[in-house]
Amino acid sequence: EDKVVQSPLSLVVHEGDTVTLNCSYEVTNFRSLLWYKQEKKAPTFLFMLTSSGIEKKSGRLSSILDKKELFSILNITATQTGDSAIYLCAVEERGAQKLVFGQGTRLTINP
Amino acid sequence: GAVVSQHPSWVICKSGTSVKIECRSLDFQATTMFWYRQFPKQSLMLMATSNEGSKATYEQGVEKDKFLINHASLTLSTLTVTSAHPEDSSFYICSARGGTGDEQYFGPGTRLTVT
């Protein structure tokens, strides 16, 4: 059974700090790993990763995938209070259509 | 990016009644739609996958007779919670994709409270 595990489950830091969120997975036939940000409503898409070692970057957020060690990290630099949210990692299996989500990391940025 | 809407955004109903939630893809044709449920402080759990014109595929543990899914057109899927009970209170989120390999776009979610 496909499994996605995120750590830490909860993280509280001060504004300006850099954070690293982790996602490890077990999937039979990996196709892609996705990161989402969820505030009060439904998740919003951040990144899709399919290849190992290639960093994807969007502003202060970046993410990278290691397909050998079966994990991904999401980095946020110079955090702001608006970064407070739940960050979800999901994995898609090749051939299947569905996403399997991890438990999420609840990130709180204090001013 | 593609837009997916849900209606209603929140609903309160009495125990024993049925509730229908709509999910629409506004600017693309969704060959596949997904329904998720999210309980407080938990992650999204996939309930079912529906392809236009065919029966939905339900995840293990999800009662298909209780959660009726219809995907009658390429832009609309509905989830009906039949004979709702307080334990069905949750945040229901749909997502849609245009084709295999495409990104999933999430709707804003529907918060259901059963009293």
Side-chain angles (χ1 to χ4, degrees):
Chain A
E1 188 181 317
D2 296 345
K3 193 175 172 184
V4 180
V5 177
Q6 291 185 244
S7 64
L9 295 181
S10 179
L11 184 59
V12 181
V13 300
H14 289 292
E15 206 167 18
D17 288 351
T18 293
V19 297
T20 298
L21 309 183
N22 303 293
C23 176
S24 64
Y25 63 91
E26 293 174 23
V27 64
T28 308
N29 198 4
F30 176 87
R31 176 177 178 268
S32 63
L33 184 145
L34 300 96
W35 284 97
Y36 292 88
K37 177 182 182 182
Q38 185 178 27
E39 295 174 87
K40 297 224 184 288
K41 292 199 171 180
T44 53
F45 173 80
L46 294 175
F47 298 111
M48 176 189 279
L49 303 159
T50 56
S51 301
S52 231
I54 299 174
E55 185 185 51
K56 291 220 171 174
K57 200 169 169 64
S58 176
R60 296 176 293 103
L61 277 68
S62 63
S63 184
I64 197 160
L65 174 67
D66 185 329
K67 288 167 77 172
K68 184 179 175 187
E69 299 297 329
L70 307 183
F71 80 90
S72 173
I73 60 171
L74 175 68
N75 271 329
I76 308 175
T77 59
T79 52
Q80 302 170 358
T81 54
D83 295 327
S84 295
I86 297 173
Y87 289 83
L88 296 166
C89 171
V91 168
E92 183 181 16
E93 185 178 341
R94 194 176 297 279
Q97 301 183 73
K98 61 183 184 181
L99 295 177
V100 177
F101 281 86
Q103 324 94 298
T105 293
R106 183 179 291 274
L107 176 64
T108 303
I109 311 295
N110 288 327
Chain B
V3 179
V4 175
S5 71
Q6 277 185 245
H7 177 80
S9 55
W10 59 271
V11 58
I12 301 173
C13 71
K14 290 191 175 178
S15 193
T17 61
S18 294
V19 174
K20 182 185 280 190
I21 302 169
E22 292 185 351
C23 176
R24 292 181 187 272
S25 57
L26 298 185
D27 50 4
F28 68 102
Q29 293 187 323
T31 54
T32 307
M33 286 186 168
F34 305 85
W35 286 96
Y36 296 85
R37 181 167 50 182
Q38 186 176 34
F39 291 109
K41 300 195 176 181
Q42 293 188 25
S43 191
L44 277 72
M45 297 298 294
L46 180 67
M47 298 175 68
T49 302
S50 77
N51 291 296
E52 185 263 340
S54 60
K55 287 185 179 179
T57 302
Y58 290 80
E59 294 298 301
Q60 199 170 6
V62 178
E63 300 173 58
K64 62 180 180 181
D65 295 330
K66 181 170 179 62
F67 299 99
L68 302 178
I69 291 171
N70 185 283
H71 190 166
S73 79
L74 284 171
T75 58
L76 173 66
S77 176
T78 60
L79 167 68
T80 302
V81 183
T82 62
S83 187
H85 288 105
E87 56 265 31
D88 298 323
S89 298
S90 187
F91 192 48
Y92 291 87
I93 306 172
C94 74
S95 69
R97 75 194 316 175
T100 305
D102 288 356
E103 183 184 327
Q104 280 190 38
Y105 298 97
F106 284 86
T110 296
R111 189 161 300 283
L112 169 64
T113 301
V114 184
T115 60

